[in-house]
């Protein structure tokens, strides 16, 4: 499980291995190409990637979970804040829809009014519970 | 080595059970996490006598789900520790005046965050400057 960059790593991990019984991606970014054109810090991402995506699709695709999606079998929970401009909501949506289409167990939890991480105390309490319940479901089997 | 007597053994068992039950009482849950108040935004008076700080706690009654921050002031020698601001709106970012007699802070009590000044030893807060553009916070 992970949030933000940890969410990115979570999305990447489930394309690389089936060793985990379950995973949880919070505010993750599985698609670095669409991330560049939707995040509020595109310059940061482009600098990090070493150039624009149209000059180097290979690097962007190599590091984006969505381009290795065929391998995913791990039940993966997707959590995102609806008002996240850092890692836009659509990043979570892309992964969730792909999981659903591929028939991999998933659920998407969307927090309204929420930026790049829960702020309201009730949501902060809820998110811990949701993650714990998700893992319990698969670790008990 | 001294031989363990029955009362000693019973005492050890009783202690072990107490520790165990305390451990269960202290188990981490999202609810217990919320009970921990957050401390931040500290400021020390120019003479080093006082410390102003911000205590943030969750408000979750009914439909509410927000954090409320209030400023506290404590004497550095530990002789007092008092809540300095009150109300349903947050007060943050305390800063002492150069003479140490007033405390400035940002309050959400009006529509937009504004800077207020209050005498360190009591009084009503005075509105000090015009509204701060939200984008600059």
């Amino acid at each position: 499980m992970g949030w933000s960059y940890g969410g990115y790593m979570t999305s990447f991990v489930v394309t690389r291995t089936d060793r985990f019984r379950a995973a949880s991606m919070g505010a993750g970014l599985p698609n670095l190409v669409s991330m560049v054109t939707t995040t509020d810090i595109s310059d940061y991402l482009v600098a990090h990637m070493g150039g624009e995506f149209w000059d180097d699709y290979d690097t962007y695709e190599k590091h984006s979970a969505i381009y290795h999606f065929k391998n995913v079998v791990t039940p993966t929970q997707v959590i995102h804040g609806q008002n996240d401009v850092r890692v836009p909501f659509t990043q979570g949506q892309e992964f969730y829809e792909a999981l659903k289409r591929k028939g991999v167990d998933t659920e998407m939890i969307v927090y309204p009014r929420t930026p790049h991480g829960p702020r309201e105390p009730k949501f902060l309490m809820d998110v811990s519970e949701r993650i714990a319940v998700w893992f319990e479901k698969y670790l008990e089997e | 080595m001294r031989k363990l007597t029955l009362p000693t053994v019973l005492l050890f068992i009783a202690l072990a059970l107490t520790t165990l039950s305390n451990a269960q009482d202290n188990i981490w849950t999202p609810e217990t996490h919320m009970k921990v108040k957050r401390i931040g935004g500290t400021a020390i008076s120019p003479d080093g006598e006082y410390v102003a700080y911000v205590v943030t706690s969750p408000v979750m009654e009914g439909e509410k789900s927000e954090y409320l921050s209030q400023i506290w002031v404590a004497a550095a020698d530990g002789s007092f520790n008092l809540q300095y601001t009150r109300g349903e709106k947050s007060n943050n970012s305390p800063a002492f005046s150069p003479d140490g007699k007033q405390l400035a802070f940002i309050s959400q009590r009006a529509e937009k965050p504004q800077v207020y000044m209050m005498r360190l030893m009591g009084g009503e807060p005075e509105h000090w400057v015009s509204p701060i553009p939200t984008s600059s916070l």
Side-chain angles (χ1 to χ4, degrees):
Chain A
M1 59 166 280
W3 200 273
S4 192
Y5 184 72
Y8 163 78
M9 291 301 285
T10 303
S11 74
F12 203 72
V13 158
V14 294
T15 69
R16 284 294 190 275
T17 178
D18 61 359
R19 75 173 64 189
F20 298 106
R21 287 202 196 171
S24 174
M25 178 183 89
L29 45 150
N31 188 343
L32 296 174
V33 175
S34 60
M35 178 71 178
V36 166
T37 50
T38 52
T39 181
D40 67 332
I41 52 163
S42 49
D43 287 348
Y44 168 81
L45 182 57
V46 170
H48 192 74
M49 297 303 291
E52 300 287 357
F53 64 83
W54 55 83
D55 290 326
D56 189 4
Y57 275 108
D58 285 350
T59 299
Y60 277 81
E61 290 175 9
K62 187 180 165 194
H63 294 95
S64 297
I66 214 84
Y67 291 93
H68 310 280
F69 199 80
K70 201 174 175 127
N71 306 326
V72 179
V73 292
T74 309
T76 303
Q77 179 188 50
V78 177
I79 311 176
H80 224 108
Q82 202 166 21
N83 294 357
D84 192 345
V85 292
R86 186 59 36 88
V87 177
F89 172 76
T90 47
Q91 288 291 318
Q93 192 179 20
E94 279 190 48
F95 212 60
Y96 172 66
E97 292 297 334
L99 288 159
K100 264 204 313 188
R101 291 189 65 81
K102 195 167 182 289
V104 179
D105 269 9
T106 184
E107 66 176 7
M108 184 161 188
I109 296 156
V110 180
Y111 291 109
R113 305 180 297 278
T114 299
H116 190 50
R119 297 283 185 277
E120 299 177 18
K122 283 181 183 171
F123 289 165
L124 280 164
M125 275 176 39
D126 187 71
V127 73
S128 313
E129 188 87 28
R130 300 269 193 167
I131 294 169
V133 167
W134 179 256
F135 280 104
E136 256 172 28
K137 180 178 164 187
Y138 294 96
L139 298 181
E140 277 175 357
E141 282 170 2
Chain B
M1 200 178 114
R2 261 177 59 191
K3 203 176 168 187
L4 288 174
T5 61
L6 185 62
T8 317
V9 172
L10 287 175
L11 182 67
F12 275 126
I13 291 171
L15 282 173
L17 286 175
T18 313
T19 313
L20 198 64
S21 74
N22 281 346
Q24 280 168 349
D25 289 344
N26 294 335
I27 194 166
W28 184 91
T29 66
E31 286 78 15
T32 54
H33 177 72
M34 284 297 143
K35 286 178 187 162
V36 181
K37 289 178 180 174
R38 296 191 310 214
I39 306 292
T42 54
I44 298 172
S45 65
D47 59 7
E49 296 274 320
Y50 306 105
V51 181
Y53 62 99
V54 177
V55 178
T56 301
S57 46
V59 180
M60 294 190 285
E61 284 80 31
E63 291 293 303
K64 284 192 173 174
S65 178
E66 60 196 41
Y67 281 98
L68 182 65
S69 298
Q70 296 296 359
I71 296 164
W72 286 63
V73 175
D77 65 6
S79 58
F80 73 84
N81 179 31
L82 298 168
Q83 185 169 347
Y84 187 78
T85 59
R86 293 178 187 278
E88 289 187 357
K89 300 291 180 184
S90 284
N91 298 287
N92 284 290
S93 312
F96 285 93
S97 60
D99 65 5
K101 288 180 179 167
Q102 300 201 73
L103 195 66
F105 55 93
I106 295 174
S107 177
Q108 315 278 338
R109 65 190 67 193
E111 198 176 322
K112 287 183 175 174
Q114 298 183 29
V115 177
Y116 290 80
M117 294 262 280
M118 208 154 112
R119 277 160 48 91
L120 186 61
M121 291 305 157
E124 284 296 307
E126 289 170 36
H127 177 213
W128 195 49
V129 293
S130 52
I132 303 165
T134 313
S135 58
S136 71
L137 290 178

